[in-house]
């Protein structure tokens, strides 16, 4: 069943942009913001000027600084906090999560110290099976999506039906989600691409051009795929939105 009532925990740029995607797709969305003034601005003025200035948020999107209020009755819960603070935040929210709600991770990264992927952290803290967790990855620059520039993403879950449910909940005229069952590959792609992006930024700062960029991206993609295979991913995943995308 496609979730209608969705909570987004986190009011940063990507959390707010994804909440807008869901609301534009026809869902009833509540955003939890850590700061009450941010929640008030989203709820009353339909903007988040600190993270997405100039972007008008849909009327069916509301916000609160109370996590219990935000999570009441949610059919899906989107976790939109940074990867390194996910464990601490989720520990505090664990008792508030509605039973049966699909958990959706927007965080791209690997936890320092444990080297766990975000879905592994979520499963550990919530004691939910991994097939109840959907991860989002792809070329998702929040501002461009909030401005309704055409974009795509991949939604990965070992339970394909749950991935399809979130796909239908988020599909709209400017946002095209695809599904995948290779959670490992999608999460590793989302995390490792940051390393390649940093190296490309360093190369640009040193004055190197397109040849260097193409080399770093192409060979970086090969390294990502080899690492993924060792950890159980499908190498073809890295040729998709979570990798080369």
């Amino acid at each position: 069943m496609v979730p209608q009532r969705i909570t987004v925990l986190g009011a940063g740029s990507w959390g707010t942009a994804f909440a807008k995607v869901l609301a534009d797709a026809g869902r009833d969305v509540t955003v939890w913001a850590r700061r009450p003034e941010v929640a008030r601005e989203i709820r009353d003025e339909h903007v988040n000027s600190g993270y997405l200035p100039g972007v008008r948020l849909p009327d069916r999107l509301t916000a609160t600084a109370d996590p219990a209020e935000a999570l009441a009755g949610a059919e899906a819960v989107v976790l939109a906090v940074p990867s390194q603070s996910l464990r601490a935040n989720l520990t505090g929210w664990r008792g508030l999560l509605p039973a049966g709600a699909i958990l959706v991770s927007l965080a791209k990264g690997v936890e320092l110290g444990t080297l766990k992927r975000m879905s592994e952290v979520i499963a550990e803290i919530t004691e939910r099976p991994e097939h109840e967790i959907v991860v989002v990855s792809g070329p998702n620059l929040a501002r461009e999506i909030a401005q309704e520039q055409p974009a795509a993403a991949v939604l990965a879950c070992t339970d394909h039906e749950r991935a399809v449910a979130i796909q239908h909940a988020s599909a709209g005229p400017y946002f095209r989600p695809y599904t995948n069952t290779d959670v490992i590959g999608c999460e590793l792609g989302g995390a490792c691409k940051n390393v390649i992006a940093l190296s490309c930024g360093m190369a640009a700062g040193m004055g190197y051009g397109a040849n260097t960029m193409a080399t770093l991206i192409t060979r970086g993609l090969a390294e990502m795929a080899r690492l993924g295979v060792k950890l159980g991913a499908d190498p073809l995943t890295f040729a998709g939105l979570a990798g080369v995308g």
Side-chain angles (χ1 to χ4, degrees):
M1 182 179 295
V2 178
Q4 176 63 31
R5 168 80 168 82
I6 301 178
T7 297
V8 177
L9 296 173
S13 56
W14 185 208
T16 304
F18 196 72
K20 180 181 185 301
V21 166
L22 293 165
D24 286 341
R27 310 307 135 198
D28 297 320
V29 183
T30 300
V31 174
W32 170 82
R34 178 174 54 85
R35 290 179 288 157
E37 62 271 23
V38 174
R40 184 206 58 78
E41 185 180 54
I42 293 173
R43 181 181 62 250
D44 299 341
E45 301 176 32
H46 299 289
V47 296
N48 187 343
S49 59
Y51 289 96
L52 293 174
V55 173
R56 168 77 183 180
L57 300 175
D59 290 342
R60 69 189 308 156
L61 191 161
T62 188
T64 177
D66 181 349
E69 179 185 351
L71 288 164
E75 298 165 353
V77 178
V78 179
L79 301 166
V81 294
S83 56
Q84 302 311 318
S85 64
L86 177 61
R87 179 180 292 273
N89 280 298
L90 195 52
T91 299
W93 296 327
R94 177 172 49 194
L96 303 174
L97 297 172
I102 301 174
L103 303 180
V104 182
S105 172
L106 297 188
K108 296 182 176 75
V110 173
E111 188 176 47
L112 296 175
T114 68
L115 298 182
K116 290 187 174 183
R117 293 175 285 106
M118 294 298 100
S119 65
E120 293 178 308
V121 173
I122 294 168
E124 177 187 334
I125 298 301
T126 63
E127 298 181 343
R128 299 275 190 94
E130 290 196 27
H131 69 257
E132 294 185 4
I133 302 165
V134 177
V135 303
V136 181
S137 193
N140 302 144
L141 296 176
R143 169 157 291 280
E144 293 183 6
I145 291 175
Q147 292 172 339
E148 302 185 10
Q149 297 184 29
V154 58
L155 310 177
C157 184
T158 55
D159 179 353
H160 186 245
E161 290 186 5
R162 280 185 170 84
V164 170
I166 301 302
Q167 177 188 40
H168 289 313
S170 59
Y174 60 90
F175 189 76
R176 177 75 177 267
Y178 293 83
T179 61
N180 197 325
T181 56
D182 182 14
V183 174
I184 296 174
C186 288
E187 287 193 295
L188 287 176
C192 292
K193 60 89 180 172
N194 290 326
V195 180
I196 309 306
L198 284 168
S199 67
C200 287
M202 293 174 187
M206 295 170 69
Y208 295 125
N211 288 338
T212 306
M213 297 292 180
T215 300
L216 287 169
I217 292 170
T218 305
R219 296 314 306 164
L221 188 63
E223 283 194 25
M224 288 163 55
R226 287 198 296 271
L227 173 64
V229 169
K230 287 289 187 180
L231 295 176
D234 182 345
L236 292 177
T237 298
F238 297 93
L241 289 164
V244 69

